[in-house]
């Protein structure tokens, strides 16, 4: 048996991060994990697996992969296993229930409960799929040129300057994705969050 991964939100089929794992999936089954689920400010759902008792639906993927795979996904979501208490997201091992009531241990990405803010909206019934259909994420509303610039800006260090055209500048400013710091532009907290879901 390969490694198990509980996928929901951005890692589910037809979602933005699925292409990062699809080639490693050898088996898939419907599964559930107990917790609470929130919509991030950028619109993607993330679970708090330490609190709540909703059964959150997702997929249990059996993966044929290596440890390098996890370090790539950790990097994608800004997870630092040696300092998880400081990260917005964490990767933990949790007990997953499959649709035939068997239990399996699997890796899952979840919210750091200490980083939950008032801007994150709890999905009352835990049905993130229905919630996303009713209100698509901010990221899904971005054009490719918006995404490209957000990614470029997210990779800058220190005082690096990333040139921008005036129309794009105005659009990203009005979406509250960037902030003008005088001599350079930077991502807002919303922009930083969105950058994790556009790469």
């Amino acid at each position: 048996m390969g490694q198990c991964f509980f996928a929901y939100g951005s890692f589910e089929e037809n979602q933005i991060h699925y292409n990062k794992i699809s080639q490693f999936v050898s088996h898939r089954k419907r599964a559930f994990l107990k917790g609470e689920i929130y919509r991030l400010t950028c619109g993607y759902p993330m679970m708090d697996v330490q609190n709540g008792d909703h059964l959150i639906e997702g997929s249990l993927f059996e993966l044929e992969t290596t440890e390098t795979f996890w370090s790539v996904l950790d990097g994608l979501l800004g997870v630092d296993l040696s300092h998880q208490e400081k990260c917005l997201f964490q990767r933990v091992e949790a007990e997953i229930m499959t649709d035939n009531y068997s239990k399996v241990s699997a890796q899952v990405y979840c919210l750091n409960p200490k980083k939950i803010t008032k801007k994150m909206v709890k999905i009352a019934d835990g049905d993130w799929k229905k919630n996303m259909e009713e209100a698509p994420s901010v990221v899904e509303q971005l054009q490719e040129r918006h995404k490209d610039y957000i990614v470029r800006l997210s990779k800058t260090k220190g005082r690096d300057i990333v040139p921008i055209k005036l129309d794009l500048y105005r659009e990203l400013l009005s979406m509250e994705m960037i902030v003008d710091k005088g001599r350079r532009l930077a991502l807002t907290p919303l922009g930083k969050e969105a950058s994790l879901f556009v790469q």
Side-chain angles (χ1 to χ4, degrees):
M1 184 173 176
Q3 298 179 61
C4 291
F5 177 47
F6 180 74
Y8 65 97
S10 67
F11 285 105
E12 267 281 32
E13 288 185 81
N14 303 315
Q15 294 294 330
I16 199 157
H17 285 149
Y18 181 68
N19 67 334
K20 304 284 192 295
I21 63 171
S22 59
Q23 63 185 330
F24 304 104
V25 176
S26 61
H27 189 69
R28 174 192 187 272
K29 63 171 78 167
R30 189 168 170 246
F32 302 88
L33 176 57
K34 192 180 280 190
E36 294 284 5
I37 195 154
Y38 293 80
R39 289 288 295 265
L40 301 173
T41 314
C42 73
Y44 274 94
M46 286 299 282
M47 287 186 70
D48 171 5
V49 299
Q50 294 180 30
N51 300 293
D53 56 4
H54 285 109
L55 282 179
I56 309 300
E57 183 179 349
S59 295
L60 181 65
F61 291 136
E62 192 175 313
L63 305 172
E64 297 299 332
T65 185
T66 64
E67 279 306 309
T68 308
F69 168 85
W70 294 112
S71 57
V72 169
L73 286 192
D74 290 348
L76 181 72
L77 291 180
V79 172
D80 180 351
L81 293 181
S82 57
H83 300 289
Q84 287 211 81
E85 71 285 350
K86 296 180 181 178
C87 303
L88 176 60
F89 304 131
Q90 301 175 329
R91 175 165 57 92
V92 299
E93 194 164 309
E95 193 172 79
I96 313 300
M97 187 170 67
T98 64
D99 56 3
N100 65 359
Y101 302 104
S102 63
K103 292 183 178 177
V104 179
S105 201
Q107 298 291 311
V108 61
Y109 286 100
C110 58
L111 274 171
N112 177 350
K114 294 177 182 173
K115 300 284 185 177
I116 295 172
T117 68
K118 291 178 182 177
K119 290 185 176 183
M120 296 177 188
V121 179
K122 188 186 291 186
I123 301 173
D125 62 1
D127 190 345
W128 64 268
K129 291 180 182 180
K130 183 176 106 185
N131 193 276
M132 284 192 76
E133 284 171 12
E134 292 170 355
S137 75
V138 172
V139 174
E140 291 174 64
Q141 299 167 45
L142 296 173
Q143 297 173 15
E144 283 307 312
R145 64 198 194 99
H146 298 143
K147 293 177 184 178
D148 290 343
Y149 192 78
I150 288 168
V151 169
R152 285 177 61 205
L153 205 53
S154 74
K155 293 179 178 175
T156 61
K157 302 277 188 239
R159 299 199 174 273
D160 291 350
I161 294 172
V162 183
I164 188 171
K165 292 184 179 176
L166 190 56
D167 59 335
L168 185 58
Y169 167 83
R170 287 181 180 143
E171 290 166 15
L172 289 171
L173 208 57
S174 71
M175 292 180 213
E176 299 181 0
M177 291 285 173
I178 60 170
V179 62
D180 193 334
K181 293 197 164 185
R183 300 182 70 180
R184 67 185 184 87
L185 299 177
L187 293 173
T188 62
L190 174 60
K192 287 177 185 174
E193 201 177 89
S195 73
L196 301 174
F197 295 91
V198 296
Q199 299 183 47

